[in-house]
Amino acid sequence: MFISELTTERLVLRPWPAEEAAAVVAGERRPHWAADFPADGERVIAGIIAGRPGQPHGHRLMIERETGLTVGGIGLFWPPTDGSVEFGYGIVPSRRCRGYTTEAVRALVVDTLTLPGVTQVHATVDPANVPSVRVLEKAGLRRDGVVETDEGRLHRYVAE
């Protein structure tokens, strides 16, 4: 799978290189990372990327255009199932409440819906995670039911 770099008003969503994922896993610090990057979610995704070298993935780093700093991650859980692909995201605490995540979700959804075989993009969220629910709603996704998981009942939001 080839994923392109996406540019929004304030962010660049850059494909996550394997060497950056390996640096996260190794506990290294890079000068172009925000002081609080990586957050826990990015550590998990970096472990997946680093554990599957050379295999395609749909994850991107969120780069703040103004500073050039990596401030989060957003990505697809590839491949799609019956035309639907799930995505997830995370942003460091120092950049929350700025609208960055909503901006990134909008760009990712629009781009993903142009990929061959993709007819729907979805995310699941704990309904108690009100900021994440707001991100999905502001980005134009609609609630489409409940999913039972090991983590409990999650709400499913879709874009078509």
Side-chain angles (χ1 to χ4, degrees):
M1 171 184 157
F2 172 77
I3 62 169
S4 60
E5 182 172 287
L6 303 175
T7 302
T8 69
E9 181 182 341
R10 299 175 297 160
L11 299 169
V12 174
L13 306 179
R14 186 169 297 143
W16 196 335
E19 64 274 6
E20 290 272 326
V24 169
V25 171
E28 297 174 12
R29 290 286 317 146
R30 297 285 169 100
H32 58 277
W33 292 351
D36 48 351
F37 181 87
D40 291 341
E42 284 75 40
R43 285 187 187 91
V44 170
I45 296 301
I48 293 168
I49 295 168
R52 299 169 34 195
Q55 290 187 9
H57 63 83
H59 299 287
R60 293 177 171 98
L61 295 171
M62 282 190 228
I63 314 297
E64 186 177 52
R65 289 179 64 185
E66 182 179 326
T67 64
L69 295 175
T70 300
V71 298
I74 188 166
L76 304 171
F77 299 103
W78 202 256
T81 302
D82 297 326
S84 184
V85 65
E86 185 173 5
F87 71 96
Y89 48 85
I91 192 157
V92 295
S94 66
R95 297 314 196 277
R96 292 183 184 155
C97 301
R98 297 182 185 195
Y100 284 171
T101 308
T102 301
E103 191 174 313
V105 167
R106 285 182 180 138
L108 181 77
V109 166
V110 167
D111 183 69
T112 303
L113 286 170
T114 68
L115 298 175
V118 176
T119 56
Q120 184 183 82
V121 183
H122 72 274
T124 56
V125 62
D126 181 337
N129 185 345
V130 175
S132 195
V133 168
R134 287 180 47 99
V135 161
L136 296 172
E137 290 174 346
K138 284 178 162 180
L141 284 81
R142 65 176 171 76
R143 186 166 166 227
D144 185 50
V146 175
V147 178
E148 298 289 342
T149 71
D150 293 340
E151 295 123 24
R153 294 176 64 120
L154 303 178
H155 288 182
R156 184 173 190 264
Y157 284 79
V158 299
E160 300 174 292

